[in-house]
Amino acid sequence: MDTRKEIETRTDIEIFIKAFYKKVIIDPIIGNIFTEIFPINWEHHIPLISDFWETILLDNPVYKNNAMGVHFEMNKIFPLQKIHFDVWLHLFNETLDELFVGEKVMLAKKRALGIAQVMLLKMDEQNSK
């Protein structure tokens, strides 16, 4: 029996984000970005990323930062490549599918793909200057 449910609350988003980053930090391709190159303060990062996805998925505008700006700064130090975005997207979608079902999952996947594509384009532009 499928016990997965719809994403309905911020708690659902936090469950997803924590499970996702558990995979990210041990991934052989992108894990070191989060653990060595830009060591993340998870107590600070998880609420911020949860705010970001709550804004997108639950239409509650709690995210007030500039996600692109942070990634531009990272890219200056460690150029982000297509493989990084591909792995991030794969782990993101895999984690969603393991935990949840429904329209919000489809929306999250669609938005994540768009974000990854735009960020890759912008990072490539920055890297070619």
Side-chain angles (χ1 to χ4, degrees), residues 2 4-8 12-13 16 53 56-58 89 91-113:
D2 191 352
R4 297 175 300 161
K5 65 180 212 99
E6 293 263 0
I7 295 173
E8 298 172 328
D12 293 338
I13 291 169
F16 161 68
W53 287 103
I56 291 174
L57 299 178
L58 303 180
L89 196 58
L91 295 174
F92 186 90
N93 290 340
E94 178 182 78
T95 307
L96 275 173
D97 287 339
E98 289 171 357
L99 298 174
F100 295 99
V101 294
E103 289 181 26
K104 300 291 186 192
V105 167
M106 299 312 293
L107 176 61
K109 288 179 178 183
K110 181 178 176 181
R111 293 291 173 87
L113 176 61

Side-chain angles (χ1 to χ4, degrees), residues 12-98:
D12 293 338
I13 291 169
E14 289 171 346
I15 288 166
F16 161 68
I17 294 299
K18 288 175 184 176
F20 167 63
Y21 279 110
K22 281 183 182 179
K23 290 180 179 199
V24 165
I25 63 174
I26 62 170
D27 183 82
I29 295 172
I30 65 171
N32 69 323
I33 296 171
F34 296 84
T35 60
E36 296 172 26
I37 299 168
F38 304 103
I40 300 296
N41 173 343
W42 296 107
E43 289 182 20
H44 176 74
H45 190 67
I46 296 294
L48 277 179
I49 297 302
S50 296
D51 282 353
F52 180 82
W53 287 103
E54 181 177 351
T55 297
I56 291 174
L57 299 178
L58 303 180
D59 206 21
N60 184 16
V62 292
Y63 185 76
K64 307 293 185 197
N65 295 15
N66 177 356
M68 191 65 78
V70 171
H71 290 86
F72 273 132
E73 293 305 311
M74 290 172 58
N75 192 59
K76 288 179 186 175
I77 297 164
F78 182 83
L80 298 169
Q81 306 293 320
K82 183 177 186 314
I83 186 69
H84 302 126
F85 290 100
D86 288 348
V87 170
W88 178 89
L89 196 58
H90 169 76
L91 295 174
F92 186 90
N93 290 340
E94 178 182 78
T95 307
L96 275 173
D97 287 339
E98 289 171 357

